Amino acid sequence: MPVLSGRCHCGNLRFEFETRHTPETLPLRTCQCSFCRSHGALAATDPQGRVVITAGDPEALQRYRFGLGITDFLLCARCGVYLAAVAEIEGRCYASLNANALERRAELRQEPQPISYDGESAEQRRARRAQVWTPAEVITGAH
Ligand SMILES: [Zn+2]
């Protein structure tokens, strides 16, 4: 599968996203929660893909939790970029990427679909993510 690369502004956090999509066909969502709205995040996932997220300096990988507390929002503590959200579901890691961090973000074409997940229980949220999010691995101290 082709690989789409992404990184935070300073390059400390990176991802390599294996997906059947190109930037032109990648479905995009704008989550309406206050966190995603304040970051202007564009969510992208591919349940048939795979992503490896790496942090060169683990000290500068900031994990932020709010709400149900079942998601780690990964931010770079150096440059402030929000890179991805990750969650562990039944022992497996899944991610939703911020497509604005893609190196090829200028090629994104899909109209983002606004979605609100308010009112979901933790169980509903895990079940949805296990279907829709991208199987992921987070590696620290990698580059
Ligand atoms: Zn950074």
Side-chain angles (χ1 to χ4, degrees), residues 33 35 53-54 58 65 74 87 91 103-104 120 131 136 138 143:
C33 86
F35 179 89
I53 298 167
T54 56
R65 286 191 171 193
L74 307 183
E103 285 175 358
R104 293 171 63 188
E120 263 184 344
Q131 295 286 314
V138 179
H143 43 80

Side-chain angles (χ1 to χ4, degrees), residues 44-46 51 53 84-87 93-97 132-138:
T45 61
D46 178 358
V51 64
I53 298 167
V86 296
C93 182
Y94 295 86
S96 171
L97 300 173
V132 175
W133 280 22
T134 310
E137 190 180 352
V138 179

Side-chain angles (χ1 to χ4, degrees), residues 20-42:
R20 63 213 149 104
H21 288 291
T22 65
E24 291 82 2
T25 67
L26 189 64
L28 303 169
R29 297 184 296 279
T30 44
C31 170
Q32 298 300 298
C33 86
S34 52
F35 179 89
C36 288
R37 289 181 73 125
S38 64
H39 280 275
L42 265 186

Side-chain angles (χ1 to χ4, degrees), residues 8-12 76 79:
C8 68
H9 191 262
C10 74
N12 180 48
C76 179
C79 68

Side-chain angles (χ1 to χ4, degrees), residues 111-143:
E111 190 62 34
Q113 186 187 357
I115 294 188
S116 172
Y117 302 107
D118 284 355
E120 263 184 344
S121 67
E123 204 160 319
Q124 288 167 329
R125 187 155 298 178
R126 288 195 184 95
R128 170 175 56 79
R129 288 171 169 177
Q131 295 286 314
V132 175
W133 280 22
T134 310
E137 190 180 352
V138 179
I139 301 171
T140 54
H143 43 80

